[in-house]
Amino acid sequence: MATDTQAPVVAATGGSFLIEDRTPDEVFTPEDFTEEQEMIGQTAEDFIAKELIPRLPDILKLDYDLNRELLAKAGELGLLGVEIPEEFGGLGLDKVSGCLVAEKAGLDGSFATTFAVQVGIGTLPIVFFGTEEQKKKYLPRLASGEWVSSYSLSEASSASDAMNAKARAVLSDDGKSWILNGEKMWLSNAGFADIYITFAKVDGEHFTAFIVEKGMPGVSLGAEEKKTGIKGSSSRPLILLDAVIPKENLLGEIGKGHKIAFNILNIGRFKLGAMTSAGAKLAVGAATEYANSRTAFGQPIASFGLIKHKIGQMAILAYVSEAVVYRTAGMIDRTLADVDIHDAATFLTRIEEYDVECSMGKVWCSEILAWVVDENVQLHGGAGYVEDYPAERYWRDARVNRIYEGTNEINRLLVPGRLIRRAMKGDLPIFKKAMALIDELTSGPSLEAPEEGFLAAEGRMLTGAKKVALMCLGTAVQKLGEKLKDEQEVLGHFADIAMATYALESGLLRARKRAAARGEDAARLQEAAVKCYAQDAMDEIEASGRKLLAAVEEGDTLRTLLAALKRFTKRDVCNTVALRRQVADAAIEKAAFPLG
């Protein structure tokens, strides 16, 4: 696999962003794309522009044959096999390349869903867990687009609790087949798929994966779901009624289906971040085009202050979203640099190292997209609420991103849960750092030399944000102990602090890296974006910290902690109106996302 992502050899430990400081050279940004990555990204962009966009009306009518045709054309270009090993018909490229292709596909929500299932959750289980025979049979056909895949995990009764599946599998009397019974829900691509990666409990106990093929005895589909958005993608139930599945179609090991489901979803999360980031940039372009063409009171609405505020904020959040996505993808590539893709156990363990960052990226980027597309509708006014303009479709299509790949609520709980688990195992010295911070609270502020240089004030804000995160998590663990796992509101507030901190650091390091490479004058627009986001992030961190601390402490202890919170979030005021307008003016002039 390709590993040339211009990154240092040593990868940061997952979750270490809270306790360690990173330098610009240690993070991957979109400005670091290699020539090979740019090439595959351009190939994907050209494919979308030439093959998909002109046929979007037909895609939105849910044309099965057209979806298959487009996937086959993507396969001819190598876009379906980016992460499939070369010996099975793929390109064997890195995760940054996979993200970049996913981002280009994200220019339409319906096709993005179809594409993401095919290259991700519908294929990667076989890449990592398939037998040699399964890989030879399925992967070349999936890479070429000859066959289409789907993913069958959810059930109506189990919701986010996938391990509570009711679908059952038993071995046939002759021992040659598995007999599956159950109904799986919301399978993307189901209507035109050839195979379904399906999960059921062997003997009603052991959660296990299977490769189910269309046309096998007892395999059928329910009707198309009538969805709010992504109407051009297929979503149907899979009905298994004494379905006869060959014994060799068991995927992985009996009772180890959770390893397949959760590892593949983890990969899907940071890719979903890439697609939602693309959607945010697309909405910035749509907003500026409309604002430039729509006049009111004798002038384009793009000249109005509150419209500029919306456009500027949309662009700023899209910029930070990109930074979050590619920083995470770069870390994953870095840790995989010395791993053979055929060593699935090590490969997936290395990716799992960044499960916290993957969950944060999924939540943060999908919620940013939700805000951006909503503001795009608002900017369009009445035109944004009708189908004549794409703003309405972007809005509807974006909603599902907060539900699939694990709901945002589930992923919020995963962030502190995984950090605490690693701390308890001694893999991440968060508690040690938190205790040192408590000592600082009792002894007064440290006399560290103030940070200087490009975005120095924002660097100090980041330092304060990390202290807030450590103080809040340390206090919650110390006060609640084992009970903390049941205090979902507290865990959610911490996740919001952690996400804002990671996003702030990602945007800050991206801007600093540009300034270091091209000079500070070439990074003034990025500087304005980070200054604005830093102020917003610290507002959110302070508010979430206040709510969290008030939920776990009281009296004098609470007053001491709130005083520390105020000190850690102290910051200079800057004119964010002027800075945000600076970003907006650049977007309006370009009629597109201006910060790339």
Side-chain angles (χ1 to χ4, degrees), residues 98-385:
C99 268
L100 188 52
V101 172
E103 178 186 334
K104 302 303 181 182
L107 295 178
D108 171 64
S110 293
F111 186 74
T113 301
T114 300
F115 182 86
V117 172
Q118 176 75 1
V119 303
I121 56 179
T123 294
L124 295 182
I126 301 175
V127 171
F128 295 128
F129 296 94
T131 63
E132 191 72 11
E133 290 73 21
Q134 288 170 345
K135 291 176 183 179
K136 289 178 180 178
K137 178 179 180 179
Y138 295 108
L139 292 182
R141 289 169 168 170
L142 294 174
S144 68
E146 177 189 349
W147 278 12
V148 176
S149 187
S150 188
Y151 185 77
S152 172
L153 176 64
S154 298
E155 297 182 9
S157 62
S158 58
S160 295
D161 184 10
M163 296 296 290
N164 193 33
K166 298 295 188 293
R168 291 173 56 94
V170 296
L171 200 58
S172 62
D173 292 339
D174 61 10
K176 295 180 179 180
S177 306
W178 293 101
I179 309 301
L180 270 62
N181 281 281
E183 184 171 347
K184 313 298 284 190
M185 299 296 293
W186 307 300
L187 278 72
S188 295
N189 293 359
F192 49 87
D194 300 283
I195 65 172
Y196 317 96
I197 305 298
T198 301
F199 296 83
K201 286 186 174 179
V202 171
D203 299 329
E205 297 181 13
H206 309 292
F207 192 69
T208 305
F210 300 86
I211 304 173
V212 176
E213 292 184 23
K214 178 182 179 180
M216 285 180 170
V219 177
S220 63
L221 298 173
E224 280 284 352
E225 302 286 358
K226 299 186 182 302
K227 304 187 295 293
T228 298
I230 56 172
K231 291 181 178 292
S233 68
S234 173
S235 301
R236 297 174 66 173
L238 175 67
I239 300 169
L240 303 166
L241 185 59
D242 289 333
V244 182
I245 312 302
K247 187 176 181 180
E248 60 268 22
N249 278 39
L250 179 121
L251 182 59
E253 300 177 46
I254 294 175
K256 298 296 180 66
H258 62 286
K259 289 185 175 291
I260 299 175
F262 298 148
N263 275 295
I264 298 307
L265 286 176
N266 196 45
I267 295 172
R269 284 166 186 154
F270 75 85
K271 285 192 178 179
L272 181 62
M275 289 189 287
T276 53
S277 176
K281 291 191 293 181
L282 183 67
V284 171
T288 54
E289 287 180 11
Y290 184 79
N292 282 330
S293 63
R294 176 76 166 90
T295 59
F297 308 107
Q299 56 187 312
I301 65 171
S303 65
F304 299 150
L306 288 180
I307 298 299
K308 288 188 177 185
H309 177 91
K310 292 182 187 300
I311 291 172
Q313 188 70 354
M314 290 163 71
I316 289 165
L317 293 174
Y319 174 77
V320 178
S321 179
E322 260 195 328
V324 166
V325 168
Y326 285 103
R327 176 187 180 181
T328 303
M331 287 193 298
I332 292 173
D333 273 342
R334 200 170 305 140
T335 197
L336 294 177
D338 62 346
V339 180
D340 187 334
I341 194 170
H342 300 92
D343 182 0
T346 302
F347 201 89
L348 291 170
T349 298
R350 294 284 185 90
I351 293 177
E352 188 179 10
E353 174 73 22
Y354 302 101
D355 52 8
V356 170
E357 287 81 358
C358 290
S359 285
M360 290 194 302
K362 188 272 181 185
V363 174
W364 197 87
C365 294
S366 66
E367 293 183 357
I368 289 307
L369 176 62
W371 185 90
V372 167
V373 295
D374 190 78
E375 286 294 87
N376 187 38
V377 168
Q378 188 69 20
L379 185 148
H380 278 71
Y385 208 65

Side-chain angles (χ1 to χ4, degrees), residues 487-548:
E487 297 295 330
Q488 293 191 352
E489 299 93 332
V490 172
L491 295 171
H493 287 315
F494 172 79
D496 287 339
I497 294 169
M499 288 188 295
T501 302
Y502 188 66
L504 173 55
E505 185 172 53
S506 299
L508 173 64
L509 291 173
R510 181 182 181 184
R512 283 180 169 174
K513 191 167 191 178
R514 181 186 180 93
R518 307 185 190 184
E520 293 182 10
D521 286 343
R524 293 303 177 198
L525 201 60
Q526 289 74 16
E527 178 185 32
V530 172
K531 282 180 175 290
C532 284
Y533 178 68
Q535 295 288 332
D536 293 342
M538 294 306 288
D539 286 343
E540 180 181 355
I541 288 167
E542 183 175 11
S544 295
R546 184 177 295 275
K547 294 170 186 175
L548 185 155

Side-chain angles (χ1 to χ4, degrees), residues 432-584:
K432 180 180 178 181
K433 292 282 187 178
M435 291 305 101
L437 184 63
I438 298 299
D439 292 339
E440 179 182 327
L441 297 184
T442 58
S443 60
S446 62
L447 299 176
E448 298 174 356
E451 185 171 350
E452 297 180 355
F454 188 72
L455 290 170
E458 289 64 40
R460 293 192 291 272
M461 291 184 204
L462 176 61
T463 297
K466 293 184 180 186
K467 289 182 177 181
V468 172
L470 288 172
M471 177 178 70
C472 287
L473 185 61
T475 300
V477 170
Q478 189 176 49
K479 182 72 175 182
L480 298 174
E482 285 292 319
K483 295 179 181 178
L484 178 58
K485 68 179 185 296
D486 300 319
E487 297 295 330
Q488 293 191 352
E489 299 93 332
V490 172
L491 295 171
H493 287 315
F494 172 79
D496 287 339
I497 294 169
M499 288 188 295
T501 302
Y502 188 66
L504 173 55
E505 185 172 53
S506 299
L508 173 64
L509 291 173
R510 181 182 181 184
R512 283 180 169 174
K513 191 167 191 178
R514 181 186 180 93
R518 307 185 190 184
E520 293 182 10
D521 286 343
R524 293 303 177 198
L525 201 60
Q526 289 74 16
E527 178 185 32
V530 172
K531 282 180 175 290
C532 284
Y533 178 68
Q535 295 288 332
D536 293 342
M538 294 306 288
D539 286 343
E540 180 181 355
I541 288 167
E542 183 175 11
S544 295
R546 184 177 295 275
K547 294 170 186 175
L548 185 155
L549 294 171
V552 299
E553 279 292 3
E554 57 186 359
D556 289 342
T557 301
L558 176 60
R559 282 187 283 274
T560 298
L561 292 169
L562 291 177
L565 175 66
K566 185 175 182 179
R567 170 153 54 92
F568 294 151
T569 56
K570 182 180 179 180
R571 55 203 179 274
D572 295 332
V573 174
C574 65
N575 185 352
T576 55
V577 171
L579 292 168
R580 194 173 282 108
R581 185 173 291 186
Q582 180 184 346
V583 176

